[in-house]
């Protein structure tokens, strides 16, 4: 979307303000369907930094996510520009990638469709 959906921006702002990670959302971005739960950016960054620190090869990159500088990120009263998913999957056929869920950052302006809720598939 060249103009981000105001409702999606408001939803993201509510997640940021409430510091909740329980909001399930499914979005379409560039033809890919991503489903999972939204997290406040600070929580998302912390979790990504923790995962990177645990890796021998990727540990040095953790500081990029752990850095608490506000440059380029919305402050209080500013609209969020990105959605921060955790426990998220890219839906592909009858399964999600990764199976256990991952951490995704999606530009709100790139979302072409969305719905509240977390989609999952079942063989039943």
């Amino acid at each position: 979307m060249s103009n981000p959906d105001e409702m999606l921006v408001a939803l993201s702002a509510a997640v940021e303000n409430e510091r909740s990670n329980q909001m399930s959302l499914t979005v379409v971005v560039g033809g890919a369907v991503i489903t999972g739960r939204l997290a406040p950016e600070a929580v998302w960054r912390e979790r990504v930094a923790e995962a990177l620190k645990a890796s021998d090869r990727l540990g040095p990159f953790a500081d990029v996510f752990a850095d608490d500088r506000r440059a380029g990120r919305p402050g209080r009263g500013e609209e969020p520009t990105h959605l921060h998913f955790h426990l998220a999957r890219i839906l592909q056929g009858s399964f999600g990638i990764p199976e256990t869920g991952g951490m995704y950052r999606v530009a709100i302006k790139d979302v072409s469709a969305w719905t509240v809720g977390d989609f999952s598939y079942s063989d039943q």
Side-chain angles (χ1 to χ4, degrees):
M1 295 181 174
S2 56
N3 294 320
D5 184 309
E6 293 175 14
M7 206 178 304
L8 189 55
V9 170
L11 186 62
S12 180
V15 169
E16 288 291 332
N17 292 334
E18 296 298 320
R19 309 238 352 122
S20 171
N21 63 359
Q22 299 302 306
M23 183 67 217
S24 295
L25 190 71
T26 299
V27 298
V28 177
V29 179
V33 178
I34 301 173
T35 189
R37 289 195 307 197
L38 293 179
E41 182 178 358
V43 171
W44 183 86
R45 285 169 150 295
E46 182 179 314
R47 289 188 180 157
V48 171
E50 288 171 0
L52 292 173
K53 283 179 188 174
S55 168
D56 291 334
R57 293 181 304 132
L58 302 176
F61 296 101
D63 290 343
V64 172
F65 294 90
D67 191 352
D68 198 23
R69 290 179 295 186
R70 299 288 308 172
R73 292 188 282 148
R76 286 244 178 238
E78 294 181 40
E79 293 181 343
T81 58
H82 291 78
L83 301 170
H84 296 87
F85 284 93
H86 71 114
L87 301 175
R89 297 171 322 281
I90 296 174
L91 299 182
Q92 178 68 38
S94 62
F95 60 95
I97 305 167
E99 194 171 300
T100 57
M103 307 291 282
Y104 295 99
R105 177 178 159 109
V106 175
I108 294 173
K109 69 178 180 63
D110 294 336
V111 174
S112 59
W114 63 275
T115 188
V116 171
D118 185 359
F119 287 161
S120 60
Y121 286 100
S122 172
D123 291 335
Q124 300 176 8

